[in-house]
Amino acid sequence: MKYAYYPGCSLRGTGRAYEESLLAVFRSLEIEAQELDDWNCCGATTYLSVDELTSYALAARNLALAERERMDIIAPCAACYLVLNKTQRYIRDYPDIKTVVSRALTAIGLEYRDRVRVRHPLDVFLNDIGVKAIAAKVVKPLKGLKVAPYYGCQIVRPYATFDDQRNPTTMDRLLEACGATVIPYTLKTRCCGGSQKGTLPEVGLDLIRYLITEAQKNGADVIATVCPLCQFNLECFQKEASGQLRDAQFRRDPLSIPVLYFTQLMALALGAPGVTIGMERSLVPIEPVLAAKEIAYA
Amino acid sequence: MPETRNSGNGSNGNGIRVGVYVCHCGTNIAGTIDVKAVSEYAAGVPGVVVSRDYKYMCSDPGQALIQQDVREYDLNRVVVASCSPLLHEPTFRRAIDRAGLNPFLLQMVNIREHDSWVHLDKQAATAKAKDLIRAAVRRVALHKPLQKRRVPINPNVLVVGGGIAGIHAALTLAEAGKHVYLVEREPTIGGHMAKFDKTFPTLDCAACILTPKMTTVGSHPRITLWTYSEVMKVSGYVGNYRVQVKRKPRYIIEDLCLGCQECITACVYKEGKTPDEFNLGLSKRKPVYLPFPQAVPQKVVIDPETCIEFKSRKCKKTCVEACGERQAIDFTQKETLEEIDVGAVVLATGFRSFDAARNAYYGYGRYRNVYTSLEVERLINAAGPTGGEIVLRDGKRPQAVGIVHCVGSRDANTNRWCSKVCCMYSLKLAHLIKERTGAEVYNFYIDMRTPGKGYEEFYDRLLDEGVHFVRGRVAEVSDWAARSSEEGKLIIRVEDTLAAFVRRIPVDMVVLSVGLEPQADAQAVRRMFNISCSSEGWFLERHPKLAPVSTFTEGVYIAGACQGPKDIPDSVAQAGAAAAEAMALIDSQFVELEPYTAFITEEECSGCKSCIPLCPYQAISFAEEKKRAAINEVLCKGCGTCVAACPSGSIHQNFFEDEEIFEEIEGVLAYA
Amino acid sequence: MRNRQLSPPPVPRGAFEPRIVAFFCNWCTYLAADLAGTSRMKYAPNVRVVRLMCSGRVDPQFVLDAFAQGADGVLIGGCHPGDCHYQEGNYKTLRRYHLLKRVLREMGIEEDRFRLEWISAAEADRLRIAVNDMVEKVRALGPLDLTPKAEEIQEEVTV
């Protein structure tokens, strides 16, 4: 079946590696995904706090476009995924919102009849393709690579549609299918702070520090994420977060761990050369880690 | 005395003389329905000789009104339009019975629960009342004088469940001279209470107050105690229940076993390998075991799943050797089925604890030092797996303990109800843990519920003892440390709502105060006894306020936690109440059954046999010689299914004859 | 989302008021109706209840007679399958209901006019919703007029 691929703004910006690796995985698994024509920004969390109704209408435009093509949407960015889902539910549950959105869509010649599903790539890979099929296509098993599976909050809260809300395991199983060792990670759904790093840095850095410390404590070589903002937070402020280690007894070596998108690891396992899936752009280099585990990079 | 009286239209020519009585029920009916108009209208319905309206028909003067009219107006039918027949049909039947009229020549009309209380439009409500009364008058004309069936009552009683409620009910009944069968699923009676160490608020030792009662049950001449047994089938009706009980094999001849436990010592297993059920898996037992030291009956049990003799038939059987001359061990013992006849049943099957693993965020099963409250009871108990020492899994004493209230309860995701006893037992555990270990103890609660005698005072005492109380529902128990002081601890994250900030409290041991739930097989049990369950799964009482121990099935009573979460005093009180009600039933010697039975008009039966397989009580048989069906009136429960199915219309149902129903249908639809 | 309608919707004057005969079993649905009363729930006043001990007592002839005598709709209320006070009576009701519905269809009686509901003693709200819903559906269908169909059949059978 064909899916409508909705990249969202971040996958064209800082999250470029997510798109590169995601498309590589689509190719390897022969998933027919076509970019949603003329998609617009979903508004993410920001616009919702500015003007709710308009935000739903904006997001709904993408739903209507996909519905017109009769395709389900794959939304890799966790924020887009949540906003699109939320928009669907609110239109369903609140007639007032439905009225406003319908009017807005009608004005641009579209309609939305709640016939489209919004899917996350994790969901599609596990439930539509299956662990067995994926394992069969692995050419570079990530043997010995210890991964901390970090889901973040938006794909499980408030809606946990395809996985358990407190202890999701979809990513765990996909990474294991690629041969990696998934470490137990209690904080797998703990918030990374989101925009707090910008607005309340002392809070944001603390949250980042907990996540990285816990991953390193459990022996992780790399953290796998599903959200561009999580990836950004965890990767880019490791030195700063280290400076947060106030408790001398608790001081470890400065936090330093590669943070990748789960699709980058999957694409690597499925045979894509590291340089085509954005791995060379990691601030904390992944090549030495892979080399130590004798996993081919190229 | 009468409010208004209308001369009726007169008898309808068939000699039927109906009196109609419309109740105001204060303003409950009269506030919405124009009762005077209704009474006037009724007077004009053919057959009605007198029609009245009155403030409270069910009162003594109200009933006297009817009785007087029956005599003065020579009434032979009565219609009362008031509340639900399920409330007062017996009242009015008795009233006309005393006036010399057969009680079944009455029809009640529900114009309160089904009319005045549920409709806003007064005109529509009044019109509806008229329709219903008109239908009742037409129907009652066809009523026949019926007699209630009298059947003798078997004086024996079955008590299902040997916890404190079942024990108390059985003893009360036995002391009153009744023979009681007490059937218990486990190999010993005692229920949950036998597992406790102390009971709140007096801190009485649970075993000390329970075991004397258990022993009395075990030796009482009028109690037949069947442990390790389950009820399989129930048939019959009030006063005459036939119950099939399955007795599981202990592989021990009960009469010969002295409870000396030499067999356990001698068992080829040097130490236990099977998780001990009584100690909730915190210790191990051998295949031959005694559930706990004060078990009643004091007889061992052999578990066929783990005993080598059952698996390989090649065991040395050192147990048999140790038993010596008594020869009480019998590996060939089989399950037996017993059939008993009883007049009444008391269900006291208790509760099940909420499975703490369902709340994954509390870490039960993931972190070794997260325990349930029942497990901690066993730790505290001197006869338990640690000899009364409250220690962590590695044997060390905890320095800080967190007790989490409301696990599984008051929660939209699991059980919405409050389990009533957890606050009190959490306080009890807090006291005992602090006393024995000197640890810092934290109780995390939503509300502190201490409604019983001495309960609030117990809470006060805990406050003085230095136990910390944090008002907040625990969000998470985890082991990740945010700072070095948290390393190696279990961290409880909770919003302290009184202090208004989120706290992280490191502890060594977490105790989850799990709530109470209905037993896993509550639905199966209630179907067997033909009672209902509430929407949450507790056995349904006849009335939540006024009839908490009887059910809608006559002769079946409920007591204890199976009816809803409650503590020991309330369980005992209910057990006494259930025993009293069962006794009242039995001592009346006869039970009168509603005469709503089906009967066959022989000449009209065509012998097609369509009815025979329809009866779930096998009350219909086929008389070969006559080639006609016949109904056993004693077995018939009066559902009417065969009546509706009979193609020739030869089966009739007393009080629900086809003609009566047709009159009712046509009556409600005829235009006023 | 829960049905927040606490009173039946106001009906314009002169609107057709359906007349519905209901057969409720003593142990479940009748009790639920009583509970609706004690809880002071409000629902449409168009239903007239005939009490039976079990929904299994409902003879198809009752249903036919009700329609023949002028009912616009017939409602049967019984215990949920598995919960019948007399074990299995409601299963028989279910069988008869399905067959009878077919027969009624042939007679020109629309599906929405004949309804079977499983309502337990605790489900007063369910009863309220079922009654209100049925009244509205039957109202939309209008009064039952069997004359055209009767004439049609008469023509067919007249030689």
Side-chain angles (χ1 to χ4, degrees):
Chain A
M1 69 160 285
K2 232 176 172 181
Y3 300 91
Y5 164 54
Y6 178 81
C9 309
S10 25
L11 264 72
R12 290 285 150 85
T14 49
R16 242 187 329 138
Y18 202 175
E19 178 168 70
E20 288 163 357
S21 51
L22 181 74
L23 294 178
V25 175
F26 281 167
R27 278 190 301 269
S28 300
L29 300 181
E30 290 167 24
I31 296 176
E32 267 192 275
Q34 174 192 306
E35 183 171 328
L36 184 62
D37 191 36
D38 197 26
W39 59 268
N40 59 273
C41 171
C42 72
T45 44
T46 350
Y47 201 46
L48 262 175
S49 47
V50 171
D51 184 339
E52 237 188 287
L53 282 178
T54 315
S55 178
Y56 292 131
L58 265 182
R61 180 173 176 277
N62 298 301
L63 297 173
L65 287 173
E67 196 177 88
R68 193 168 63 180
E69 306 299 319
R70 303 207 189 173
M71 295 191 285
D72 284 346
I73 297 181
I74 298 187
C77 165
C80 300
Y81 177 74
L82 177 56
V83 170
L84 291 173
N85 252 303
K86 191 169 173 185
T87 304
Q88 270 198 317
R89 283 170 199 252
Y90 276 52
I91 291 176
R92 220 178 276 151
D93 293 345
Y94 298 105
D96 301 341
I97 295 180
K98 184 174 178 169
T99 314
V100 170
V101 171
S102 301
R103 238 186 295 141
L105 291 175
T106 311
I108 54 169
L110 286 172
E111 73 171 319
Y112 170 65
R113 276 177 298 168
D114 197 7
R115 299 230 178 108
V116 65
R117 281 193 301 165
V118 178
R119 315 278 304 281
H120 194 270
L122 283 174
D123 178 16
V124 174
F125 295 155
L126 186 78
N127 297 316
D128 291 4
I129 309 296
V131 155
K132 271 215 192 96
I134 294 173
K137 296 214 162 116
V138 168
V139 295
K140 265 190 282 186
L142 307 170
K143 200 148 174 291
L145 186 69
K146 300 223 189 89
V147 188
Y150 180 58
Y151 295 76
C153 58
Q154 296 194 86
I155 59 171
V156 289
R157 292 194 288 282
Y159 314 120
T161 47
F162 62 89
D163 207 340
D164 186 82
Q165 195 166 64
R166 306 250 185 191
N167 184 24
T169 51
T170 318
M171 195 183 357
D172 298 33
R173 284 182 279 170
L174 289 171
L175 291 171
E176 277 167 352
C178 295
T181 308
V182 173
I183 55 143
Y185 193 42
T186 320
L187 301 183
K188 58 169 49 163
T189 55
R190 197 127 202 280
C191 178
C192 69
S195 330
Q196 298 286 315
K197 169 67 191 61
T199 50
L200 277 176
E202 61 280 13
V203 172
L205 285 175
D206 258 348
L207 294 172
I208 293 169
R209 175 169 59 86
Y210 296 151
L211 290 168
I212 299 179
T213 313
E214 191 65 14
Q216 286 186 185
K217 186 165 87 168
N218 286 322
D221 298 313
V222 59
I223 299 180
T225 63
V226 303
C227 167
L229 190 51
C230 294
Q231 198 279 333
F232 177 68
N233 275 330
L234 290 178
E235 179 180 62
C236 306
F237 305 106
Q238 294 187 8
K239 238 199 317 207
E240 266 184 82
S242 303
Q244 293 287 107
L245 296 167
R246 290 179 281 258
D247 194 326
Q249 282 177 294
F250 202 53
R251 192 173 288 271
R252 282 176 170 67
D253 290 340
L255 308 172
S256 173
I257 183 169
V259 181
L260 297 179
Y261 292 102
F262 80 98
T263 41
Q264 289 179 289
L265 293 172
M266 280 183 74
L268 187 72
L270 292 168
V275 72
T276 61
I277 49 178
M279 280 184 166
E280 80 288 4
R281 281 183 242 123
S282 298
L283 286 183
V284 183
I286 184 69
E287 291 104 306
V289 176
L290 293 174
K293 307 284 171 180
E294 291 172 13
I295 299 171
Y297 178 72
Chain B
M1 209 201 301
E3 295 272 310
T4 54
R5 202 266 294 173
N6 299 287
S7 303
N9 206 10
S11 99
N12 66 0
N14 294 349
I16 300 292
R17 301 172 64 78
V18 186
V20 176
Y21 300 88
V22 184
C23 185
H24 296 213
C25 194
T27 53
N28 282 309
I29 296 176
T32 308
I33 293 176
D34 184 347
V35 285
K36 297 221 187 297
V38 169
S39 170
E40 265 174 40
Y41 168 75
V45 175
V48 176
V49 167
V50 60
S51 172
R52 295 190 195 278
D53 62 279
Y54 184 62
K55 274 220 145 45
Y56 297 103
M57 283 312 307
C58 57
S59 63
D60 277 347
Q63 292 184 49
L65 206 50
I66 301 178
Q67 290 163 338
Q68 203 181 326
D69 281 355
V70 166
R71 284 188 286 268
E72 272 182 36
Y73 290 90
D74 199 23
L75 299 179
N76 50 29
R77 299 287 188 280
V78 172
V79 169
V80 177
S82 58
C83 52
S84 171
L86 294 173
L87 208 52
H88 274 310
E89 195 169 53
T91 313
F92 293 111
R93 279 187 178 161
R94 271 195 299 271
I96 66 175
D97 189 30
R98 282 196 298 271
L101 197 56
N102 180 290
F104 294 92
L105 297 175
L106 165 86
Q107 176 70 352
M108 276 192 74
V109 183
N110 187 335
I111 57 171
R112 191 182 70 169
E113 281 87 336
H114 288 196
D115 197 358
S116 68
W117 272 353
V118 291
H119 301 317
L120 292 166
D121 181 339
K122 293 189 180 177
Q123 265 187 346
T126 306
K128 179 167 171 173
K130 290 180 184 170
D131 285 347
L132 291 170
I133 291 176
R134 179 181 63 237
V137 170
R138 288 176 67 153
R139 183 202 215 270
V140 80
L142 296 178
H143 281 202
K144 297 199 183 53
L146 298 171
Q147 298 300 332
K148 281 197 167 186
R149 307 170 279 163
R150 270 192 152 200
V151 287
I153 302 184
N154 184 308
N156 300 335
V157 184
L158 167 67
V159 176
V160 184
I164 182 63
I167 288 172
H168 186 80
L171 285 173
T172 311
L173 286 160
E175 284 302 298
K178 309 284 176 263
H179 188 94
V180 180
Y181 292 94
L182 178 52
V183 175
E184 163 58 52
R185 179 160 58 188
E186 298 299 315
T188 172
I189 54 176
H192 279 96
M193 189 173 169
K195 298 195 167 89
F196 301 160
D197 181 46
K198 304 267 192 302
T199 54
F200 57 76
T202 50
L203 296 177
D204 268 315
C205 151
C208 307
I209 55 179
L210 178 63
T211 45
K213 284 178 100 114
M214 285 169 61
T215 321
T216 315
V217 166
S219 60
H220 202 290
R222 280 186 292 279
I223 298 182
T224 301
L225 176 60
W226 283 344
T227 54
Y228 218 32
S229 306
E230 282 186 70
V231 174
M232 300 308 301
K233 228 166 53 145
V234 179
S235 58
Y237 50 94
V238 55
N240 299 275
Y241 287 111
R242 168 150 291 187
V243 182
Q244 194 187 72
V245 179
K246 174 175 79 173
R247 305 211 57 206
K248 298 189 288 213
R250 292 171 114 93
Y251 306 104
I252 303 289
I253 302 171
E254 275 191 41
D255 292 336
L256 298 178
C257 175
L258 297 175
C260 67
Q261 300 174 60
E262 299 280 327
C263 51
I264 300 180
T265 322
C267 177
V268 294
Y269 276 76
K270 282 296 145 239
E271 32 171 65
K273 291 274 189 298
T274 315
D276 184 331
E277 292 90 343
F278 194 78
N279 280 332
L280 304 166
L282 295 171
S283 64
K284 305 265 201 307
R285 61 157 174 82
K286 300 187 187 183
V288 57
Y289 65 102
L290 189 66
F292 72 102
Q294 298 98 340
V296 169
Q298 180 92 173
K299 320 266 174 208
V300 299
V301 192
I302 297 182
D303 170 15
E305 302 285 312
T306 49
C307 170
I308 297 183
E309 174 61 12
F310 284 95
K311 302 229 219 141
S312 68
R313 296 271 152 210
K314 282 197 251 161
C315 182
K316 273 191 290 191
K317 298 200 274 267
T318 43
C319 51
V320 177
E321 225 183 281
C323 190
E325 299 176 329
R326 290 176 295 279
Q327 298 188 338
I329 300 183
D330 175 10
F331 290 105
T332 64
Q333 208 176 61
K334 296 263 172 287
E335 172 183 290
T336 57
L337 284 173
E338 307 276 352
E339 274 208 351
I340 53 175
D341 292 318
V342 295
V345 178
V346 176
L347 296 177
T349 49
F351 67 91
R352 155 175 78 150
S353 289
F354 175 78
D355 178 9
R358 285 171 64 184
N359 285 358
Y361 46 93
Y362 284 157
Y364 182 71
R366 185 146 51 108
Y367 306 119
R368 299 165 69 219
N369 289 315
V370 174
Y371 291 83
T372 62
S373 45
L374 254 180
E375 288 172 344
V376 173
E377 286 275 357
R378 293 312 301 151
L379 292 182
I380 297 178
N381 194 302
T386 55
E389 287 293 321
I390 304 167
V391 287
L392 303 170
R393 301 279 182 177
D394 60 4
K396 293 213 190 75
R397 277 250 179 103
Q399 312 227 292
V401 178
I403 302 178
V404 180
H405 290 217
C406 302
V407 176
S409 309
R410 306 188 64 186
D411 188 341
N413 299 312
T414 48
N415 298 328
R416 283 188 183 261
W417 60 81
C418 165
S419 293
K420 209 167 178 190
V421 301
C422 322
C423 276
M424 280 311 297
Y425 80 55
S426 301
L427 291 175
K428 171 190 74 173
L429 291 178
H431 167 82
L432 293 169
I433 292 173
K434 189 138 183 85
E435 193 181 58
R436 303 271 183 98
T437 65
E440 292 303 326
V441 178
Y442 299 85
N443 281 59
F444 302 95
Y445 66 99
I446 307 177
D447 294 289
M448 198 53 83
R449 296 188 160 172
T450 55
K453 227 167 165 179
Y455 291 11
E456 181 67 19
E457 296 87 331
F458 188 71
Y459 176 35
D460 276 342
R461 175 180 166 183
L462 268 279
L463 291 168
D464 289 335
E465 286 175 8
V467 172
H468 309 286
F469 288 93
V470 176
R471 181 182 179 270
R473 181 166 220 162
V474 171
E476 179 186 70
V477 172
S478 73
D479 67 349
W480 70 272
R483 52 194 71 84
S484 62
S485 56
E486 294 181 3
E487 288 277 342
K489 300 270 187 185
L490 286 172
I491 315 296
I492 292 183
R493 243 183 58 208
V494 62
E495 179 189 355
D496 185 332
T497 55
L498 294 176
F501 66 99
V502 175
R503 295 172 71 166
R504 294 173 61 86
I505 300 183
V507 296
D508 301 304
M509 180 193 230
V510 173
V511 182
L512 300 176
S513 296
V514 287
L516 277 53
E517 287 186 329
Q519 290 271 20
D521 61 352
Q523 288 293 338
V525 170
R526 70 110 178 151
R527 287 215 175 99
M528 231 182 346
F529 289 94
N530 201 16
I531 61 173
S532 315
C533 278
S534 69
S535 47
E536 291 107 9
W538 306 103
F539 291 155
L540 189 65
E541 63 286 315
R542 192 178 270 258
H543 191 278
K545 293 255 184 233
L546 301 178
V549 297
S550 51
T551 64
F552 281 108
T553 302
E554 283 195 67
V556 178
Y557 304 94
I558 51 181
C562 61
Q563 184 260 355
K566 57 178 64 68
D567 54 18
I568 293 168
D570 285 351
S571 298
V572 171
Q574 278 202 346
E581 295 200 16
M583 262 189 269
L585 172 73
I586 290 174
D587 288 349
S588 55
Q589 310 224 312
F590 289 99
V591 75
E592 286 190 328
L593 301 176
E594 295 288 14
Y596 301 154
T597 48
F599 61 93
I600 297 179
T601 311
E602 219 180 74
E603 318 79 75
E604 295 172 359
C605 173
S606 64
C608 72
K609 296 191 189 174
S610 308
C611 55
I612 315 240
L614 293 178
C615 183
Y617 307 103
Q618 282 112 50
I620 318 181
S621 55
F622 194 67
E624 285 298 337
E625 338 75 59
K626 294 198 210 163
K627 294 265 185 284
R628 305 255 195 270
I631 296 180
N632 181 339
E633 198 195 39
V634 178
L635 293 178
C636 172
K637 302 245 194 189
C639 70
T641 306
C642 57
V643 185
C646 176
S648 58
S650 60
I651 311 187
H652 306 261
Q653 183 178 13
N654 285 320
F655 205 72
F656 291 97
E657 305 253 9
D658 280 351
E659 294 71 37
E660 288 166 341
I661 313 263
F662 283 130
E663 281 297 316
E664 214 178 321
I665 295 171
E666 289 162 33
V668 290
L669 291 169
Y671 282 97
Chain C
M1 286 174 100
R2 270 204 245 142
N3 184 336
R4 295 220 163 265
Q5 191 178 292
L6 291 169
S7 308
V11 170
R13 285 198 157 277
F16 155 63
E17 286 298 339
R19 300 202 300 159
I20 296 176
V21 176
F23 299 97
F24 286 170
C25 88
N26 182 64
W27 302 98
C28 284
T29 316
Y30 196 91
L31 264 178
D34 278 358
L35 180 59
T38 41
S39 315
R40 309 296 194 275
M41 294 186 181
K42 301 289 178 250
Y43 53 85
N46 306 60
V47 170
R48 307 283 180 266
V49 175
V50 174
R51 178 170 78 120
L52 299 169
M53 294 313 281
C54 178
S55 58
R57 176 71 185 90
V58 179
D59 191 325
Q61 289 188 81
F62 297 162
V63 178
L64 295 169
D65 190 45
F67 282 122
Q69 295 295 330
D72 302 299
V74 172
L75 171 65
I76 304 178
C79 305
H80 288 266
D83 290 350
C84 179
H85 186 84
Y86 304 99
Q87 316 303 325
E88 309 161 353
N90 53 0
Y91 290 116
K92 318 296 193 303
T93 319
L94 188 60
R95 291 207 295 241
R96 290 177 198 147
Y97 168 73
H98 284 298
L99 285 171
L100 191 51
K101 236 188 157 96
R102 281 199 180 184
V103 171
L104 293 175
R105 212 188 311 144
E106 294 308 307
M107 292 167 62
I109 297 178
E110 300 94 323
E111 221 183 85
D112 280 340
R113 294 189 187 273
F114 182 40
R115 184 164 171 157
L116 174 65
E117 284 284 340
W118 302 132
I119 298 175
S120 81
E123 292 178 313
D125 203 43
R126 199 179 153 122
L127 177 88
R128 175 185 68 83
I129 292 173
V131 167
N132 284 340
D133 185 56
M134 184 170 185
V135 168
E136 286 320 303
K137 289 205 161 89
V138 176
R139 195 195 300 280
L141 289 171
L144 176 62
D145 185 7
L146 292 168
T147 340
K149 192 71 182 185
E151 287 174 352
E152 191 187 303
I153 294 174
Q154 186 64 34
E155 264 196 59
E156 266 186 52
V157 304
T158 312
V159 176

